[in-house]
């Protein structure tokens, strides 16, 4: 532990977990131990990517296409 309260994660552990310079880590207290987890980034999502589907059960509605 450094004088700035920084801990060093060994290189082999960083490589194994894919921890890089900009990685975000979560720390959890477990009794007298600390669990460190790599915070996984949530992939960005755009409507035009089309993941998921829409359905409309109203009569005369097409549920996703605009036929104006």
């Amino acid at each position: 532990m450094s004088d700035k309260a920084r801990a060093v994660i060994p290189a082999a552990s960083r490589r194994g977990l894919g921890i890089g310079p900009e990685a975000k880590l979560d720390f959890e207290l477990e009794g007298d131990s600390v669990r460190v987890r790599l915070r996984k980034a949530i992939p960005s999502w755009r409507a035009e990517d089309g993941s998921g589907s829409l359905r409309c059960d109203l009569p005369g509605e097409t549920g996703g296409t605009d036929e104006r």
Side-chain angles (χ1 to χ4, degrees):
M1 182 72 64
S2 76
D3 58 348
K4 293 184 180 181
R6 294 181 180 171
V8 175
I9 299 171
S13 297
R14 292 193 314 267
R15 281 192 300 270
L17 293 171
I19 297 174
E22 299 298 319
K24 304 293 184 205
L25 304 174
D26 288 323
F27 294 82
E28 298 175 23
L29 292 176
E30 293 185 349
D32 63 351
S33 300
V34 176
R35 179 183 297 257
V36 181
R37 291 186 181 185
L38 177 61
R39 185 181 303 167
K40 302 289 184 177
I42 299 172
S44 61
W45 179 84
R46 301 175 311 157
E48 57 268 22
D49 291 338
S51 61
S53 61
L54 299 175
R55 184 176 128 186
C56 181
D57 293 329
L58 297 175
E61 299 291 328
T62 59
T65 60
D66 191 350
E67 297 179 9
R68 290 182 202 170

